[in-house]
Amino acid sequence: MRSFPLPLTLTARLSPVAVLACAGWALTSGPVAPPAAAGHQTPQNTPAGSSSAAPSTTAAANAYATAPAPCAGVPGATVKSLVPGAKTAGKEIPSTDTRLRRTCSWNALHGYDYRWLDVSFEISPSEQEAKKEYEQRVAERGGGGAVPGLGDGAYSVVNLTTEDKQETREGVVLARVANALVVVTYSGSDFESKKAPGTDEINKGAIKAAKSAVAALGGGRG
């Protein structure tokens, strides 16, 4: 088999750690009650059987507190069909805060066909913030459309790029479930024909992976 040089854009994708590692989020802590003044205590009359502190509703308001293991978010059979030749275990990308963002990648060159799949789970401080982030990202990507029946909202878009006469087609699916976002990126190229896979193939592949990831996220809800 002849050796084909990867386009610069694909070569850059082979080392995404530096980019994704800095994408972790930080949650701000809730307000802390000020300490009582020195030498002064306020007596509290608490009825028998009642709690002295009001229960917090913050945890209950958020469906998800941590991001699930991303490499377990896509079944091995799905990985084999979407990324032939890739190790089904995948490779998790380092994150600054694995509670809030975790990403797994699969990529392989099978013959002359190259495929790449990324699956990310991102946890927002609240459902409102997750919805705002989802809507902002959708607005930044034109030419796509809604994916019915996936999470609380989902959107897919496919784009074609050409570099040094080599085509690459990339599909992205964004899905929101409560205060969590699922982001799937699926791309492919043929280094012999210089052509990219069809739009339908890439779009369906990205949606298939997104459905698996959303299902895996649902297991940690509550």
Side-chain angles (χ1 to χ4, degrees), residues 125-195:
S126 68
E127 183 169 344
Q128 290 74 20
E129 292 192 38
K131 185 176 181 181
K132 180 179 178 180
E133 179 68 19
Y134 169 79
E135 292 174 346
Q136 179 177 335
R137 295 194 194 185
V138 168
E140 292 171 352
R141 297 177 178 272
V147 182
L150 185 59
D152 295 321
Y155 177 86
S156 70
V157 62
V158 179
N159 290 308
L160 176 68
T161 59
T162 303
E163 183 176 334
D164 297 331
K165 299 182 180 180
Q166 174 66 62
E167 294 182 351
T168 299
R169 200 177 304 275
E170 179 181 88
V172 176
V173 175
L174 304 169
R176 183 184 68 83
V177 184
N179 66 308
L181 292 179
V182 173
V183 184
V184 171
T185 304
Y186 181 50
S187 62
S189 300
D190 186 318
F191 293 130
E192 183 175 38
S193 68
K194 298 285 187 178
K195 299 297 183 182

Side-chain angles (χ1 to χ4, degrees), residues 6-190:
L6 296 178
L8 293 177
T9 53
L10 294 181
T11 303
R13 292 208 68 191
L14 292 176
S15 55
V17 174
V19 176
L20 294 177
C22 66
W25 295 354
L27 285 177
T28 56
S29 59
V32 179
H40 176 74
Q41 294 184 350
T42 302
Q44 296 181 354
N45 296 323
T46 304
S50 65
S51 173
S52 60
S56 174
T57 59
T58 303
N62 291 331
Y64 304 99
T66 60
C71 294
V74 181
T78 300
V79 172
K80 288 181 179 179
S81 68
L82 298 181
V83 192
K87 295 181 178 180
T88 57
K91 180 181 180 181
E92 183 163 356
I93 305 302
S95 171
T96 56
D97 192 337
T98 55
R99 295 174 305 130
L100 306 180
R101 180 187 173 93
R102 297 181 71 176
T103 300
C104 189
S105 288
W106 298 263
N107 65 87
L109 182 63
H110 186 66
Y112 298 101
D113 289 327
Y114 176 76
R115 296 291 185 276
W116 182 292
L117 174 66
D118 284 348
V119 173
S120 295
F121 295 104
E122 302 176 7
I123 307 302
S124 292
S126 68
E127 183 169 344
Q128 290 74 20
E129 292 192 38
K131 185 176 181 181
K132 180 179 178 180
E133 179 68 19
Y134 169 79
E135 292 174 346
Q136 179 177 335
R137 295 194 194 185
V138 168
E140 292 171 352
R141 297 177 178 272
V147 182
L150 185 59
D152 295 321
Y155 177 86
S156 70
V157 62
V158 179
N159 290 308
L160 176 68
T161 59
T162 303
E163 183 176 334
D164 297 331
K165 299 182 180 180
Q166 174 66 62
E167 294 182 351
T168 299
R169 200 177 304 275
E170 179 181 88
V172 176
V173 175
L174 304 169
R176 183 184 68 83
V177 184
N179 66 308
L181 292 179
V182 173
V183 184
V184 171
T185 304
Y186 181 50
S187 62
S189 300
D190 186 318

